[in-house]
Amino acid sequence: MTHCRFEDRLAGEARVLSEPLYRIEARSQQELPQAFVRIAQAKKDGHWIALLLDYELGEWLEPTLEVHANDTRSERTQDSSPRLTALVFAKMMLEAPWGEALQTSKHEHSAAIENVASLLSKDAYIDRIQKIRQWIAQGEVYQINATFPMLVQLRGDPSTLYKRIANKHPVGHAAFIEDGMRTVLSFSPELFLARTGDCLTTRPMKGTAPRSTDPAEDHAFRQGLVASAKNRAENLMIVDLLRNDLGRVALAGSVTANPLFSLEKYPSVWTMTSTVQARVAPGTDLEAILRALFPCGSVTGAPKIAAMRRIQETEASPRGLYCGSVGWLAPNGDFSLNVAIRTLVLDAQKGTGLYHVGGGIVYDSDPEQEWEECHWKARILA
């Protein structure tokens, strides 16, 4: 059974795609052009499309990265799963987001996370951060996003778990997708890219602080993030990167960055967000836009290509959907794609899944603090 819904829980609206027709996949770089042709045709035929874009799709969109990936001979080059999946539907309905399922005492624990275990040791993580700091000191990069997976064991119904977490942690770019092979529970607060007519909007999120139930401590965390020169510099670095990426498809002089350094409050974290917009020529298609911008610079580092090469070398297993994107494409060409962070990807048969965490590393990053921040980001599963 295929189920696909995208929820903006801040606006109180959900797009639910119905009447599934067929799926489009690209399992190799050679299959990618035809996949985009088929997506364009589906859109022309008046269909709605759910897009699931793995982070490693970016290696196929940038030829030098594909060559480098082959040279590293890592697990990512042996993975044959699709890096682009498009689920085509006949209809879309607007409705309210799912409410949390009412449970009787008999089924009080019908859906729960039973265990979350890091698949990278703290020592290995700290070693990786020290390597990144060396590359920054040598002038090769300014920042690299370092991530690692956690193995999650689930008991019960994934949709019940989604409702529970989504109601507790409302965000603007949530999604629940079952496609027969995997179940995706995305609680992303971050917009990768939205298109409305000829306007593109991206909203990178860089800079995080924990929340506290104690008002005084919570205020101190907030003010610490506001005053953090490191976090503001990190945020601005990604803003500049995305302005450059948007410039590859934007009409001359149309790229703007405003507002900068907005603070957003979520139940488990404070985050710092900036907004970048541009206008594109009417005929600019999805493929051209993704080739210019995917994956989002907030989950790579800067300079983007150099950072992605080092990610290939230091992260042995593929990120998969994490740090890629989940979103919808309308028949008129409008779309909304999240940054697939805070995203749990479950194996439809096994009841286990992966939940990745990570953060941007700059020269003055403290490895111990970065390790702790990664675990703050996993608190949403509790």
Side-chain angles (χ1 to χ4, degrees):
M1 179 180 177
T2 302
H3 189 106
C4 187
R5 62 190 296 119
F6 301 97
E7 299 192 329
D8 182 345
R9 287 179 167 262
L10 303 183
E13 180 179 87
R15 279 179 169 79
V16 182
L17 307 192
S18 62
E19 298 185 20
L21 299 173
Y22 55 92
R23 67 191 297 136
I24 301 166
E25 293 182 343
R27 291 177 177 269
S28 69
Q29 190 173 21
Q30 291 70 33
E31 294 177 357
L32 203 53
Q34 184 59 27
F36 280 120
V37 168
R38 294 184 66 198
I39 289 170
Q41 185 60 52
K43 181 171 67 72
K44 185 178 179 181
D45 292 340
H47 302 319
W48 284 79
I49 302 164
L51 294 169
L52 297 94
L53 311 176
D54 281 19
Y55 169 85
E56 284 75 25
L57 173 63
E59 295 175 0
W60 292 348
L61 299 175
E62 173 53 56
T64 62
L65 287 171
E66 176 66 7
V67 171
H68 193 72
N70 290 332
D71 289 343
T72 63
R73 296 180 177 84
S74 67
E75 184 182 326
R76 67 179 62 240
T77 63
Q78 301 163 13
D79 183 28
S80 61
S81 59
R83 297 187 183 184
L84 179 152
T85 301
L87 307 175
V88 182
F89 294 81
K91 295 181 180 179
M92 185 278 292
M93 299 176 295
L94 289 176
E95 60 182 55
W98 267 339
E100 185 167 1
L102 295 176
Q103 298 176 337
T104 64
S105 58
K106 181 180 178 181
H107 299 99
E108 186 176 358
H109 302 292
S110 63
I113 299 291
E114 292 193 315
N115 190 50
V116 180
S118 172
L119 295 180
L120 184 73
S121 71
K122 182 177 179 180
D123 287 346
Y125 176 82
I126 290 176
D127 286 346
R128 182 190 295 175
I129 303 309
Q130 299 294 18
K131 284 182 182 177
I132 292 172
R133 293 183 69 250
Q134 289 176 12
W135 294 327
I136 295 171
Q138 293 164 4
E140 180 182 338
V141 290
Y142 307 115
Q143 180 197 81
I144 290 179
N145 188 260
T147 78
F148 60 91
M150 294 180 163
L151 181 65
V152 176
Q153 291 181 322
L154 169 71
R155 183 188 71 246
D157 175 45
S159 66
T160 301
L161 179 68
Y162 172 84
K163 293 170 189 176
R164 181 181 303 161
I165 295 176
N167 278 278
K168 188 177 179 181
H169 299 273
V171 294
H173 309 285
F176 179 84
I177 299 172
E178 289 180 317
D179 70 355
M181 294 187 294
R182 59 184 172 180
T183 302
V184 178
L185 289 69
S186 185
F187 310 100
S188 175
E190 184 171 1
L191 174 68
F192 163 43
L193 199 61
R195 180 173 188 168
T196 305
D198 68 349
C199 180
L200 291 179
T201 301
T202 182
R203 197 167 291 121
M205 185 173 286
K206 273 295 169 189
T208 307
R211 297 293 312 281
S212 173
T213 55
D214 176 74
E217 186 178 43
D218 193 49
H219 180 73
F221 284 145
R222 179 192 185 280
Q223 292 306 108
L225 182 57
V226 169
S228 171
K230 169 189 174 293
N231 281 295
R232 290 170 73 91
E234 187 178 335
N235 190 287
L236 186 60
M237 192 183 304
I238 301 306
V239 167
D240 288 343
L241 186 160
L242 284 166
R243 289 176 63 182
N244 182 68
D245 282 358
L246 277 171
R248 298 169 65 184
V249 290
L251 295 174
S254 71
V255 180
T256 61
N258 186 47
L260 295 174
F261 313 135
S262 299
L263 241 61
E264 295 184 3
K265 179 172 65 174
Y266 295 94
S268 59
V269 293
W270 292 98
T271 65
M272 185 180 288
T273 304
S274 295
T275 300
V276 189
Q277 291 185 309
R279 289 190 302 114
V280 294
T284 308
D285 62 13
L286 177 68
E287 179 179 5
I289 292 169
L290 290 179
R291 287 190 180 279
L293 284 115
F294 187 86
C296 183
S298 66
V299 292
T300 61
K304 188 173 184 178
I305 301 303
M308 291 180 71
R309 286 196 187 106
R310 288 304 194 182
I311 288 169
Q312 288 174 324
E313 295 169 10
T314 56
E315 297 183 13
S317 60
R319 292 182 176 184
L321 199 57
Y322 174 69
C323 287
S325 187
V326 176
W328 54 264
L329 171 64
N332 68 356
D334 288 355
F335 61 77
S336 179
L337 298 169
N338 74 9
V339 179
I341 56 175
R342 301 188 196 177
T343 296
L344 176 60
V345 181
L346 296 169
D347 185 298
Q349 308 302 321
K350 297 179 181 178
T352 60
L354 293 177
Y355 185 88
H356 289 68
V357 291
I361 306 303
V362 293
Y363 182 74
D364 56 353
S365 292
D366 180 285
E368 292 277 350
Q369 184 176 333
E370 295 293 340
W371 175 257
E372 292 302 319
E373 182 175 320
C374 285
H375 288 78
W376 298 339
K377 294 174 180 177
R379 291 195 305 186
I380 190 173
L381 297 176

